C-alpha cells in the first residue's frame, strides 16, 4: 500500500473535485459578466439605434423634399389651379404628414405691385392664391385674386420668398452659372416654427438675366413672367414611425422639443432624438419598460451563454477524461504491482523447491536410487514450471508485437484433442475430459499456438472447479464454413459483472482460488492467441453452474 501511495498514478479525487468546483465558479462568474455585458450592450443600443428609426421614419419627408417638391419647377411657372390641385392630391395621398398646400400663381413684372415685393423696377406679386388639402371646402379653395384684393391678405410666407427672389436677382452675376444647390437653397424656405416649407419654381437662366435687367431699368415693351409658389403645411404628428427594433422600443411618439414627461419612474428607460428640417421643433420620444427590455437582453445573452456552456461542457469533459485517466493509471499500477508480486511468487516457489532439492543432494553423503529418482522428478517438474511461465510471457509479448509467424500445418483434430486429454489427465488424475468432433477431421493451423490455447483453457477449467466436479467437455464442429470450439466445464462460474474484464491483462477475479497467487495472463493470452489466428473468443457463465468458452476460427483445409 505504501508503494501505491508513492506512485504517480494514484487517483486524486480531491484534485478532480477542486478542478470541477473551480471551473463551475468561473462558469457562473462568466454567465454573470456576460449578462451584465448583454444588458449594457442593449442599453447602449437603446440609445444608438434611435438613429436608424429616425432615418427610416423621416425617409418619406426626405424623398418629398429632395424629389417631389422640385417637380413644381417642371411646369416653368405655368401651373393653373386645376393642375396644381391634381399635383397637391398626389402629394397629400403619398405623404400623409402634409395637411394643406397654399398655391400662389405669381407674376414677375417690370412695374410696381400693390401686394407683394417691389425692388427698384422689379415687382413680384400674386395673381391668384388657392389652398388645397384635407378638409378644405370647395368655397374655401380660392383665397385671392386681382379682381378681389380685399378677400385675402398676402401672407408673410409669400413676402419672405419674394424678398429672397429679389435679393438673389440683385446679387446675381450673369456671367457665372449658379449651381443646382445654390438655386434650390435660394428658392426654398424651411420654417420650423410653423412647420412649413415654401418653394418657388426655379426660373431658367435666361429668365433670371431678364429679371436682372427688369430690376435695373424699365424695359420696352414691359415683360411679365409667370412663377409658381407653393407653401406646404406639415403635421409632425402624422409622420409614420418605422420601428426598426420592435423588441427594443416599446413605444415611440412624436413630441414637441419642450415635452417633459410627468412619469419619471425608474421602471422605464427613455431616449429622444430631434427631427430634421421643418420638423426641428419636434422630436422622437422613445419609451420602454425595463421588463420589456429584458426580452431583448436575453435574446442577446443566450448565444453567449450557449458558447460559455459549450466551453464549460468541454472543460467538464476534460476533467472527466483526466479523472478517468488517473483512475485507469491507478488500476494499471495496481495490476502491475500485483503482477510483480504474483510473478515473484510463481518464480519463488519452484526456485525454492529446486534450491531445497539441490541442498539435499549436496549435503547427502549418498543417495539411493529411489531418492535420485525423486529428486530428479522434483527438479524436472519445477524446471518445467519455470520454463512454461517464461514461455508464456515470451509468447504473449511476441504475439502482441506480431513478432512471430503463424505456421500452417495439417492437424488431425481427434488426435490433437486426445493428446491434450492425455497430458492433463496424467498431471491431474481426477480431471475428467470428454470430447466430440462433428463435420471435419483435419484442418490447417499452427499446432503450437492451438496447443497453448487448449492447455490454458483446460488448466483454467481444472483450477476453477470444486473437487469432485472437475469435468470438461471439448466440442469441435464445422458450422457454416467456420470451426467452432466449445470448452464447457462444471466449475464455480464467473460473476456477470466480471465477464467484460476477464480477457484483460493482469486482471484476476477475487476468489479463494486466486489467493495463492495468479499472474492474470491466462485468458488475456488466450484472447491474443485467438486474435492472432484471425478468430474470436467469447464466454458465457453462471455462478455455481459452470463456464463455457466459445472459439471461432477460420476453416482452412
Amino acid at each position: 500500500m505504501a508503494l501505491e501511495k508513492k506512485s504517480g498514478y494514484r487517483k486524486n479525487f480531491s484534485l478532480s473535485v477542486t478542478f470541477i468546483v473551480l471551473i463551475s465558479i468561473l462558469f457562473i462568474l462568466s454567465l454573470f459578466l456576460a449578462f451584465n455585458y448583454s444588458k449594457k450592450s442593449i442599453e447602449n443600443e437603446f440609445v444608438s439605434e434611435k438613429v436608424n428609426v429616425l432615418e427610416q421614419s423621416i425617409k418619406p419627408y426626405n424623398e418629398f423634399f429632395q424629389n417631389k417638391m422640385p417637380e413644381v419647377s417642371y411646369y416653368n411657372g405655368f401651373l393653373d389651379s386645376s393642375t396644381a390641385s391634381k399635383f397637391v392630391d398626389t402629394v397629400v395621398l403619398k405623404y400623409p404628414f402634409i395637411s394643406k398646400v397654399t398655391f400662389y400663381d405669381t407674376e414677375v413684372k417690370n412695374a410696381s405691385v400693390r401686394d407683394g415685393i417691389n425692388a427698384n423696377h422689379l415687382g413680384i406679386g400674386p395673381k391668384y392664391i388657392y389652398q388645397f388639402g384635407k378638409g378644405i371646402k370647395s368655397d374655401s379653395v380660392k383665397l385671392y385674386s386681382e379682381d378681389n384684393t380685399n378677400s385675402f391678405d398676402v401672407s408673410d410666407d409669400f413676402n419672405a420668398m419674394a424678398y429672397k427672389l429679389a435679393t438673389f436677382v440683385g446679387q446675381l452675376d450673369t456671367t457665372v452659372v449658379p449651381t443646382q444647390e445654390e438655386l434650390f437653397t435660394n428658392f426654398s424656405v424651411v420654417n420650423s416654427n410653423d412647420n412649413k416649407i415654401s418653394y418657388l419654381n426655379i426660373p431658367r437662366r435666361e429668365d433670371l438675366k431678364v429679371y436682372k435687367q427688369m430690376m435695373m431699368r424699365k424695359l420696352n415693351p414691359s415683360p411679365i413672367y409667370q412663377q409658381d409658389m407653393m407653401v406646404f403645411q406639415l403635421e409632425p404628428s402624422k409622420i409614420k414611425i418605422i420601428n426598426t427594433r420592435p423588441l427594443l422600443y416599446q413605444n415611440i411618439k412624436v413630441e414637441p422639443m419642450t415635452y417633459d414627461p410627468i412619469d419619471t419612474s425608474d421602471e422605464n428607460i427613455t431616449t429622444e432624438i430631434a427631427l430634421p428640417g421643418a420638423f426641428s421643433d419636434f422630436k422622437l420620444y422613445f419609451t420602454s419598460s425595463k421588463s420589456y427590455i429584458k426580452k431583448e437582453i436575453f435574446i442577446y445573452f443566450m448565444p453567449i451563454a450557449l458558447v460559455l456552456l459549450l466551453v464549460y461542457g468541454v472543460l467538464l469533459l476534460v476533467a472527466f477524461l483526466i479523472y478517468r485517466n488517473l483512475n485507469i493509471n491507478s488500476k494499471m499500477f495496481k495490476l502491475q504491482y500485483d503482477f510483480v508480486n504474483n510473478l515473484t511468487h510463481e518464480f519463488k516457489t519452484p526456485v525454492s523447491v529446486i534450491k531445497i532439492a539441490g541442498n539435499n543432494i549436496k549435503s547427502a553423503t549418498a543417495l539411493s536410487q529411489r531418492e535420485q529418482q525423486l529428486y530428479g522428478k522434483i527438479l524436472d517438474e519445477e524446471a518445467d514450471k519455470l520454463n512454461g511461465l517464461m514461455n508464456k510471457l515470451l509468447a504473449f509479448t511476441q504475439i502482441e508485437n506480431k513478432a512471430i509467424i503463424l505456421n500452417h500445418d495439417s492437424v488431425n483434430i481427434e488426435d490433437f484433442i486426445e493428446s491434450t486429454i492425455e497430458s492433463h489427465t496424467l498431471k491431474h488424475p481426477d480431471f475428467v475430459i470428454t470430447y466430440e468432433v462433428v463435420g471435419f477431421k483435419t484442418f490447417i493451423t499452427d499446432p503450437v499456438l492451438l496447443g497453448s490455447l487448449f492447455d490454458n483453457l483446460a488448466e483454467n477449467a481444472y483450477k476453477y472447479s470444486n473437487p469432485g466436479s472437475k469435468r470438461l467437455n471439448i466440442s469441435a464442429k464445422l458450422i457454416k464454413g467456420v470451426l467452432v470450439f466449445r470448452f464447457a466445464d462444471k466449475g464455480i462460474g464467473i460473476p456477470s459483472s466480471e465477464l467484460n474484464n476477464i480477457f484483460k491483462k493482469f486482471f484476476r477475479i477475487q476468489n479463494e482460488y486466486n489467493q495463492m497467487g495468479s499472474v492474470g495472463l491466462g485468458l488475456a493470452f488466450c484472447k491474443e492467441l485467438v486474435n492472432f489466428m484471425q478468430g474470436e473468443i467469447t464466454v458465457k457463465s453462471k455462478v455455481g453452474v459452470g463456464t463455457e468458452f466459445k472459439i471461432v476460427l477460420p476453416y482452412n483445409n
Side-chain angles (χ1 to χ4, degrees), residues 454-519:
F454 276 47
D455 287 341
N456 273 278
L457 293 176
E459 195 65 35
N460 259 22
Y462 181 81
K463 181 178 180 180
Y464 295 103
S465 296
N466 292 316
S469 61
K470 295 183 181 294
R471 294 183 180 86
L472 174 66
N473 178 260
I474 303 174
S475 169
K477 296 181 180 181
L478 179 61
I479 302 174
K480 295 182 180 179
V482 295
L483 296 179
V484 179
F485 297 94
R486 299 179 189 271
F487 290 75
D489 62 42
K490 302 296 182 180
I492 62 173
I494 303 170
S496 57
S497 60
E498 306 288 359
L499 287 176
N500 292 329
N501 299 317
I502 61 172
F503 293 113
K504 295 178 181 179
K505 284 192 298 185
F506 312 129
F507 178 80
R508 297 180 307 127
I509 299 174
Q510 300 300 320
N511 55 43
E512 67 274 15
Y513 294 94
N514 280 327
Q515 296 301 316
M516 296 304 294
S518 173
V519 180

Side-chain angles (χ1 to χ4, degrees), residues 491-496 541-547:
I492 62 173
I494 303 170
S496 57
S541 182
K542 188 173 182 180
V543 176
V545 176
T547 303

Side-chain angles (χ1 to χ4, degrees), residues 147-403:
D147 299 334
N148 185 10
T149 58
N150 295 324
S151 62
F152 181 77
D153 292 332
V154 177
S155 65
D156 292 337
D157 296 325
F158 179 84
N159 290 333
M161 180 57 72
Y163 178 77
K164 200 167 187 179
L165 173 61
T167 302
F168 178 76
V169 171
Q171 297 175 351
L172 179 65
D173 184 355
T174 57
T175 63
V176 178
V177 179
T179 64
Q180 288 298 318
E181 184 177 353
E182 290 175 339
L183 291 172
F184 187 82
T185 303
N186 283 279
F187 287 88
S188 62
V189 175
V190 176
N191 186 346
S192 60
N193 292 327
D194 296 326
N195 308 122
K196 293 179 180 179
I197 301 177
S198 301
Y199 183 78
L200 182 69
N201 74 282
I202 301 173
R204 294 172 299 179
R205 188 184 178 199
E206 292 76 11
D207 295 345
L208 289 172
K209 289 180 180 180
V210 176
Y211 290 176
K212 183 80 172 181
Q213 295 173 4
M214 290 168 62
M215 180 179 286
M216 296 174 63
R217 67 181 185 275
K218 284 279 188 178
L219 301 179
N220 191 15
S222 178
I224 297 177
Y225 285 82
Q226 302 297 319
Q227 291 285 145
D228 295 323
M229 175 182 165
M230 287 191 175
V231 177
F232 299 91
Q233 180 68 53
L234 310 182
E235 289 188 22
S237 61
K238 296 298 179 63
I239 294 175
K240 184 179 180 181
I241 297 173
I242 308 298
N243 189 353
T244 57
R245 293 293 297 276
L247 296 178
L248 188 62
Y249 299 117
Q250 187 177 12
N251 187 26
I252 306 174
K253 298 184 294 182
V254 177
E255 299 289 353
M257 289 293 292
T258 56
Y259 173 75
D260 188 14
I262 299 176
D263 183 12
T264 57
S265 172
D266 291 338
E267 294 299 318
N268 294 329
I269 302 176
T270 62
T271 187
E272 58 189 48
I273 187 170
L275 291 169
F279 301 126
S280 57
D281 282 348
F282 288 81
K283 63 186 177 182
L284 290 180
Y285 189 77
F286 302 80
T287 308
S288 294
S289 65
K290 290 183 178 180
S291 59
Y292 188 84
I293 290 291
K294 281 183 179 179
K295 299 176 184 177
E296 187 73 357
I297 293 174
F298 275 105
I299 292 174
Y300 191 96
F301 168 71
M302 286 308 296
I304 302 175
L306 289 175
V307 171
L308 291 175
L309 182 61
L310 179 63
V311 173
Y312 178 67
V314 170
L315 291 176
L316 282 180
L317 178 62
V318 170
F320 169 74
L321 293 176
I322 292 174
Y323 171 78
R324 189 182 69 168
N325 187 57
L326 289 172
N327 194 32
I328 291 173
N329 286 337
S330 176
K331 289 181 178 179
M332 286 299 297
F333 177 78
K334 187 176 185 303
L335 288 174
Q336 291 174 1
Y337 178 77
D338 291 342
F339 169 72
V340 172
N341 285 340
N342 295 331
L343 188 63
T344 302
H345 180 270
E346 290 293 315
F347 274 108
K348 188 175 181 180
T349 301
V351 169
S352 298
V353 173
I354 292 172
K355 186 173 180 62
I356 293 171
N359 286 335
N360 289 341
I361 294 172
K362 183 175 67 173
S363 62
T365 55
L367 293 174
S368 64
Q369 185 177 1
R370 181 176 175 279
E371 289 175 330
Q372 288 178 355
Q373 291 176 348
L374 176 61
Y375 286 127
K377 181 181 178 183
I378 290 172
L379 292 172
D380 186 59
E381 288 178 351
E382 298 304 322
D384 284 343
K385 287 183 182 179
L386 288 174
N387 186 55
L389 185 57
M390 293 301 297
N391 286 338
K392 182 181 290 186
L393 288 172
L394 181 61
F396 202 140
T397 304
Q398 289 176 331
I399 290 174
E400 278 191 320
N401 295 290
K402 304 296 187 290

